[in-house]
Every structure is written in structure tokens, then in C-alpha cells.
Amino acid sequence: SQTIHQWPATLVQPVGSPLSLECTVEGTSNPNLYWYRQAAGRGLQLLFYSVGIGQISSEVPQNLSASRPQDRQFILSSKKLLLSDSGFYLCAWSSGSGNEQFFGPGTRLTVL
Amino acid sequence: KNEVEQSPQNLTAQEGEFITINCSYSVGISALHWLQQHPGGGIVSLFMLSSGKKKHGRLIATINIQEKHSSLHITASHPRDSAVYICAVTLTYNTDKLIFGTGTRLQVFP
């Protein structure tokens, strides 16, 4: 069966520090991968998605970036965090565009 | 105006009650999703539907494409159903993009 992992589970970082969040999927190959953010009191928002290694689509302009160095690995990064980057970050995968998406456990990021 | 609107925002119920959560959307969609988010934050996909009705246990989801409306029903509600229920739609022009409602917070009391 397929499983999706995210780490770390929680993170507290100072403003201006770098960020790296990792997501990995097991039990499937060539998944579509997604990064979402849920800010406090707001709905989920798609940040990036990837349909293959090295292929990244950005939905929202911001100081975040994403990379997919391996088939089942998706990384969310920032060079300098802002206060507004605080939120709950969720990774998800699907077997193809338009298919059901399955979510990871999430990373709660607090920028101070 | 949000492209996906849910109502009510908050809902309280007594155990055993029948619950309905509504979702309306204003964009062209290829599918609609109902998700459940528990207090720890984890999200579970409940339903993905593009027409008609689906049932899983005590949960029923319906969609009316012409009216751009969907409902999630919970029969014989239980305290363990307490969670945030989120409606999301897959856009027809980009089937990798989900647009989310802001969620309905449900609390079921014993």
C-alpha cells in the first residue's frame, strides 16, 4: 500500500532563516506531487505541483520554491523565511492529474 | 467572492442527529472532493465525485452539476465525527489544481 511521509512534523524558525521541508511517497511510482499551505483561519492553497522529476509548476508567487530531485521525493524550500510563511504545510500525491489526492500528515511551521 | 463556498461555517449536533453540510461553487469543475481534517491537522479524502451520489458507511455525498452544488450528509452522527469538513473542486482547465472551501467545523456532543 502507498504511504506518504512528511518531516519535520513541527518547526519553529526565526525570520530570515532558510527552510527545507521534505515529503516522500512509498508504494507507488511516478506520482503527481503537491505542496499546499493552510494559513491560520484560512483555507488550503495549492503552492506547487509536479508531474515528474524536475518538473515543477508554481501556483502562487512567493519566496518559496519546490524541487523534485527523485521520483518520490518533493522538497519545499525558502532562502529567507517571512512571518507570513507561518502555517500548516501539507504534501499530497495522486496517481495522475485529476485523480484523487492523498495527503501527508503535515508540517506545522511557526516563523517568529 | 470565493470560488468555493461552504455552509455552515460551524455546526454543533447531538449524537445521533442527521447532519448536512453544503458546498456551492462558481467555476467549471471536473470533480468535487469532500475531505475530513482532524484536530491534529491530518486530512483524509472522503469522496471524489463528478455526478450523482456516493455512500460510504454513514456518509453520503451528492452533487448537482446544473446547480453547482454538493451536500455531505452524516447519518446517526457520533462524537468521533467531530472534525473540519472541507469541500474542494478540481478545475476543468487544470486537473492538478484543487480549489478549497474554508471548511465546516462540526462538533458532535454525546
Side-chain angles (χ1 to χ4, degrees), chain B residues 49-105:
Chain B
L49 64 166
S50 54
S51 65
K53 176 178 168 179
K54 285 191 175 181
K55 184 176 189 291
H56 184 236
R58 296 179 294 106
L59 302 178
I60 303 166
T62 63
I63 187 169
N64 184 318
I65 297 295
Q66 286 72 32
E67 294 185 4
K68 296 191 172 182
H69 180 270
S70 175
S71 293
L72 176 69
H73 305 287
I74 305 175
T75 61
S77 59
H78 190 275
R80 65 174 175 267
D81 296 326
S82 299
V84 176
Y85 291 84
I86 302 170
C87 172
V89 299
T90 303
L91 299 178
T92 48
Y93 67 83
N94 183 346
T95 55
D96 279 298
K97 185 166 184 175
L98 290 182
I99 304 292
F100 297 82
T102 52
T104 295
R105 185 174 300 275

Side-chain angles (χ1 to χ4, degrees), chain B residues 34-46:
Chain B
W34 281 104
L35 310 169
Q36 181 189 53
Q37 185 171 30
H38 280 282
I43 290 180
V44 174
S45 176
L46 298 175

Side-chain angles (χ1 to χ4, degrees), chain A residues 64-93:
Chain A
L64 299 171
S65 62
S67 62
R68 185 169 177 175
Q70 298 180 45
D71 181 45
R72 290 170 289 173
Q73 185 184 32
F74 204 21
I75 296 172
L76 184 69
S77 304
S78 174
K79 291 182 180 177
K80 288 186 179 182
L81 284 167
L82 306 172
L83 286 174
S84 58
D85 292 323
S86 293
F88 189 57
Y89 289 81
L90 284 151
C91 180
W93 75 272

Side-chain angles (χ1 to χ4, degrees), chain A:
Chain A
S1 64
Q2 301 86 7
T3 54
I4 179 169
H5 304 279
Q6 285 186 246
W7 63 89
T10 60
L11 191 59
V12 180
Q13 291 286 94
V15 169
S17 64
L19 173 74
S20 181
L21 303 181
E22 190 164 342
C23 170
T24 58
V25 181
E26 295 176 357
T28 187
S29 58
N30 197 31
N32 284 18
L33 296 171
Y34 308 84
W35 277 114
Y36 293 95
R37 177 170 62 199
Q38 187 176 40
R42 301 184 68 179
L44 283 152
Q45 182 182 40
L46 177 65
L47 301 176
F48 301 95
Y49 67 93
S50 170
V51 299
I53 295 174
Q55 299 179 62
I56 308 294
S57 296
S58 173
E59 282 297 309
V60 182
Q62 60 223 317
N63 70 320
L64 299 171
S65 62
S67 62
R68 185 169 177 175
Q70 298 180 45
D71 181 45
R72 290 170 289 173
Q73 185 184 32
F74 204 21
I75 296 172
L76 184 69
S77 304
S78 174
K79 291 182 180 177
K80 288 186 179 182
L81 284 167
L82 306 172
L83 286 174
S84 58
D85 292 323
S86 293
F88 189 57
Y89 289 81
L90 284 151
C91 180
W93 75 272
S94 74
S95 58
S97 299
N99 292 344
E100 188 175 13
Q101 293 186 20
F102 301 95
F103 291 82
T107 294
R108 194 163 302 280
L109 171 67
T110 303
V111 182
L112 301 175

